[in-house]
Amino acid sequence: MHIQVKKEFMKSFILLSIITGAVFVSGCKDYLDQVPDDRITIEEVFQKKASSQQYLANVYSYVPDISRQWEGFPWLGNSDEVDITWSKYSVYALNMGNMSAGNVLFDTWGNLYAGIRSATYFINHIDGNKEILALNGQELIDQYKAEARFLRAYYYFLLMQQYGPVVLVGDKELAADATAADMQIPRSPFDECVSYVVAELDQAAGVLPLRPMNNNQVSDAEYGRATKGMALAVKSRLLLYAASDLYNGNTDMAGFTDKGRQMISQTKDAEKWKKAADAAKAVIDLGIYNLYQDPSGDPVKSLQGIFFQPWNNEQIFVRKSNDLAGWDVHCMPRRAGGWNGIAATQEQVDAYFMKDGLTIQESPNYRETGFKDTLGQSIYNMYMNREPRFYTNITYNNAIFQGGSMQASAAITFYLSGPNGKNGHPTDYSKTGYLVRKNLGSQTNIGSGGNGQRQNRPLALFRLAEIYLNYAEALNEYEPGNADIAKYLNLVRKRAGIPQYGEGENPLPVPAPGAAMRNRIRQERRVELAFESHRWFDIRRWKIAPQVMGDVHGMNVNKDGNDFYARVVAGSHLFRPANYWFPISQYEMDRGRMLVQNPGW
């Protein structure tokens, strides 16, 4: 790592952006890299407030921008909820099974360890900053250290969800003249990783403010900086994962060992579910977050406002700098100047409830034959009488759309010879006959014929609805029948505008405790958190990926007219046992001789 400090420092603290010109950190691609040897420069950095803030901003810059799901991350396109239409991107190769330790796709190992090292260096060197002590006192130093500690824990969590057990480096820094032998560290069993990260998050949460602060005052300008709620939310998700089948008594991983140590727990522990439930409830009990509700009471506006009302009280952890405008244009139809290729699967379309709150298999209102005239369009009955989240999240054939370069609303079609169909472009067409509409900023106009306008907004990484569902799931596993399970599940359904279980207007029967309630919670999670990078991890931790992956379906985009409305295979998203985690690259394995590879790789 080499750090260069210019004489003139930036006056403002730019959060979640890569710092250039002031403090530039490079060459941190691997966790085994040695510490900087330019010690005089480093000492100067940590004696000044501005340069220390800029160093911390660089630590924030490692928070991934997961809006780039078409090329940067596989969490949507390598699940059963989305098909990314373009074969030029790596997710296509991943879906075809073309990955190995010698060719790791979407490899974040080195970059996240660079973030971890950067955070550790900050934690170890910020104490004694003369300028901060003189201007703000030890309290601000403690807050900055807590922010870096939170970020370090978060980066460990991201590594764990992708790779399983990881290398825990701790607070130790390697000397500049450290030998290769000094840098050999094995992976720790997953439960040890969980304990370490939870302890780090707890320590950070004990110092971090409830709201972003500047000079001890709540400041909108500081939104995006670490808070107590962010630390507790990451803890909630981590402990939920740790309690789930993939990590809790998973005898399928009995052979995953390192010198006799089991890397994955072989004995189920119900107390893990209690820890997960308690962690989610701790976020709820902060009392500062609420499900977003539009003042009009319109469920559709409420569902849209979650993402388009910046800094609303449902958002817990956001990334201010992002490429959501890129997401917008990739989700938009060609008629609006979009790239027309982030396509919802038929499996995801089928997951949405009907307006009576029942699934399509249960509701007497569901039909897959015939049409109904609505707003001057002939709408296939499959799309009628669905819940508000369906209409908010999915662009289907003959759905009305306005945005991008479309100045007036019009029906969007996906059949073969239509303006968004396969015949109109060799690559930019939906293979399923659907597009994702969730969190699509219609004011963005950066595609074909666009004027360059971007509808900027924060990228929500954690929000309260997830925490409610985390709590309901964990509590159902630990204490089936607890009244809070239906309560928090119903809060999500009520905001979505569909009947609740056991209360409200047109109530549905409360699911029986245990398996029946588990199924309802999983259904709700799939719909409420769709297209937010949850499904990839959920189907693995529940160990249902072998059942739900494989062929994905859609409408027949090779046909015109009513022949379009037929379920066909749209693509293949392969899954094999090795795909529960990504492999560690052979490059890292060769350098870290104490590393054990993930099963199947």
Side-chain angles (χ1 to χ4, degrees):
M1 183 191 296
H2 177 67
I3 298 180
Q4 182 181 12
V5 184
K6 288 187 176 181
K7 294 181 180 179
E8 296 295 329
F9 294 106
M10 296 170 62
K11 294 182 179 180
S12 61
F13 178 38
I14 303 175
L15 196 59
L16 296 175
S17 60
I18 297 176
I19 302 302
T20 58
V23 177
F24 181 74
V25 180
S26 64
C28 295
K29 297 302 182 185
D30 306 292
Y31 76 96
L32 295 176
D33 287 347
Q34 299 178 24
V35 298
D37 57 7
D38 192 355
R39 298 180 185 276
I40 296 176
T41 301
I42 288 296
E43 290 173 359
E44 292 175 351
V45 166
F46 289 106
Q47 290 304 313
K48 299 291 185 180
K49 182 176 181 178
S51 55
S52 296
Q53 288 176 324
Q54 291 153 10
Y55 192 104
L56 181 57
N58 180 72
V59 180
Y60 272 97
S61 74
Y62 290 92
V63 174
D65 177 9
I66 59 171
S67 62
R68 299 183 62 81
Q69 288 291 325
W70 59 95
E71 64 174 354
F73 298 89
W75 313 137
L76 271 60
N78 185 230
S79 73
D80 60 341
E81 65 180 0
V82 163
D83 184 71
I84 303 295
T85 197
W86 304 281
S87 60
K88 65 182 179 180
Y89 293 129
S90 294
V91 71
Y92 178 82
L94 186 60
N95 284 332
M96 298 303 293
N98 295 330
M99 181 170 69
S100 67
N103 178 36
V104 180
L105 307 173
F106 305 102
D107 190 5
T108 64
W109 182 274
N111 189 62
L112 288 172
Y113 271 112
I116 287 168
R117 292 191 66 256
S118 185
T120 298
Y121 206 83
F122 183 89
I123 292 168
N124 289 347
H125 290 266
I126 188 63
D127 277 321
N129 186 301
K130 294 179 180 179
E131 192 167 272
I132 296 179
L133 287 171
L135 294 172
N136 307 97
Q138 184 65 35
E139 184 178 359
L140 186 60
I141 290 177
D142 291 343
Q143 178 184 324
Y144 285 170
K145 287 178 67 176
E147 290 180 34
R149 190 175 303 279
F150 160 74
L151 291 167
R152 184 173 69 177
Y154 180 56
Y155 300 151
Y156 272 120
F157 163 72
L158 294 177
L159 285 164
M160 291 163 65
Q161 69 174 2
Q162 184 172 357
Y163 298 97
V166 298
V167 175
L168 298 176
V169 182
D171 292 331
K172 182 180 178 181
E173 294 175 17
L174 295 172
D177 57 353
T179 65
D182 294 329
M183 296 185 285
Q184 300 303 315
I185 311 173
R187 299 170 77 181
S188 294
F190 191 81
D191 282 354
E192 289 184 16
C193 297
V194 171
S195 296
Y196 172 79
V197 174
V198 166
E200 290 288 288
L201 290 169
D202 283 342
Q203 185 175 346
V207 178
L208 291 170
L210 279 175
R211 301 283 193 185
M213 307 285 286
N214 185 21
N215 294 325
N216 295 319
Q217 298 292 322
V218 175
S219 172
D220 290 349
E222 301 297 326
Y223 272 104
R225 296 187 70 149
T227 63
K228 182 174 185 175
M230 288 163 63
L232 296 182
V234 173
K235 177 182 174 181
S236 169
R237 192 185 294 180
L238 170 60
L239 288 176
L240 184 77
Y241 286 11
S244 300
D245 289 345
L246 181 59
Y247 300 106
N248 190 1
N250 185 2
T251 55
D252 291 342
M253 296 295 169
F256 187 14
T257 63
D258 184 7
K259 296 181 179 178
R261 294 193 305 169
Q262 294 288 161
M263 302 305 285
I264 302 296
S265 165
Q266 295 298 291
T267 305
K268 284 195 179 295
D269 182 359
E271 291 301 309
K272 290 182 178 179
W273 286 113
K274 184 179 189 304
K275 290 179 181 178
D278 290 346
K281 192 61 162 55
V283 180
I284 296 168
D285 287 346
L286 291 176
I288 60 174
Y289 303 113
N290 300 285
L291 294 184
Y292 178 78
Q293 300 276 357
D294 188 81
S296 69
D298 182 348
V300 170
K301 291 183 178 179
S302 293
L303 294 166
Q304 293 170 336
I306 296 168
F307 308 101
F308 292 105
Q309 293 296 323
W311 320 117
N312 68 73
N313 284 339
E314 181 164 350
Q315 297 176 349
I316 300 174
F317 182 5
V318 303
R319 195 185 201 280
K320 185 175 181 181
S321 173
N322 57 66
D323 191 22
L324 280 173
W327 165 262
D328 297 339
V329 74
H330 282 80
C331 290
M332 282 186 185
R334 283 204 313 270
R335 188 172 178 181
W339 308 142
N340 202 45
I342 299 184
T345 63
Q346 188 67 49
E347 285 76 7
Q348 184 60 35
V349 167
D350 292 345
Y352 286 93
F353 296 97
M354 302 295 288
K355 69 178 183 180
D356 59 12
L358 298 172
T359 66
I360 63 171
Q361 293 82 12
E362 299 165 333
S363 175
N365 298 318
Y366 182 72
R367 300 283 187 277
E368 282 198 20
T369 58
F371 299 84
K372 184 174 182 179
D373 289 338
T374 303
L375 299 176
Q377 300 298 323
S378 180
I379 304 298
Y380 188 39
N381 277 332
M382 176 187 284
Y383 313 135
M384 297 301 300
N385 300 310
R386 302 300 285 269
E387 61 156 307
R389 287 176 295 195
F390 172 78
Y391 299 108
T392 307
N393 294 0
I394 304 293
T395 302
Y396 52 90
N397 200 62
N398 277 339
I400 302 299
F401 182 87
Q402 181 178 358
S405 61
M406 288 177 63
Q407 300 301 309
S409 61
I412 299 300
T413 58
F414 298 105
Y415 52 77
L416 179 64
S417 61
N420 309 287
K422 182 178 179 180
N423 277 357
H425 196 281
T427 59
D428 294 354
Y429 68 94
S430 166
K431 292 184 173 68
T432 68
Y434 303 101
L435 289 174
V436 175
R437 189 181 291 217
K438 187 176 188 178
N439 197 8
L440 189 164
S442 60
Q443 297 173 32
T444 292
N445 191 8
I446 61 172
S448 179
N451 59 14
Q453 179 173 305
R454 295 171 177 265
Q455 187 171 351
N456 295 321
R457 68 271 188 196
L459 171 65
L461 301 175
F462 287 74
R463 59 186 181 93
L464 186 62
E466 177 203 341
I467 303 301
Y468 282 178
L469 294 172
N470 291 356
Y471 181 50
E473 179 179 346
L475 199 58
N476 182 61
E477 299 299 332
Y478 183 74
E479 191 180 340
N482 187 303
D484 270 2
I485 300 168
K487 173 184 175 181
Y488 285 95
L489 188 60
N490 279 336
L491 286 172
V492 174
R493 291 174 68 86
K494 181 180 180 181
R495 193 265 300 276
I498 57 175
Q500 303 169 62
Y501 297 116
E503 61 181 86
E505 187 177 352
N506 300 316
L508 300 174
V510 177
M517 180 60 86
R518 178 187 304 125
N519 185 49
R520 294 303 188 189
I521 293 168
R522 290 184 179 185
Q523 289 172 342
E524 201 69 43
R525 189 176 180 93
R526 179 171 193 179
V527 171
E528 176 65 25
L529 302 179
F531 316 128
E532 296 182 49
S533 297
H534 288 276
R535 182 70 176 169
W536 194 95
F537 302 101
D538 284 346
I539 63 177
R540 282 161 174 76
R541 67 183 179 88
W542 294 331
K543 293 179 64 178
I544 64 171
Q547 289 76 53
V548 302
M549 292 286 281
D551 288 343
V552 295
H553 298 79
M555 295 289 96
N556 193 344
V557 298
N558 293 305
K559 298 290 185 179
D560 282 320
N562 290 350
D563 291 338
F564 168 86
Y565 298 103
R567 293 170 179 263
V568 297
V569 174
S572 183
H573 295 187
L574 299 179
F575 182 88
R576 59 189 183 90
N579 295 136
Y580 280 107
W581 300 294
F582 277 63
I584 300 173
S585 73
Q586 193 59 49
Y587 171 76
E588 295 290 354
M589 294 294 296
D590 291 342
R591 299 180 75 235
R593 295 187 296 274
M594 295 183 71
L595 297 178
V596 61
Q597 183 60 278
N598 278 332
W601 299 105

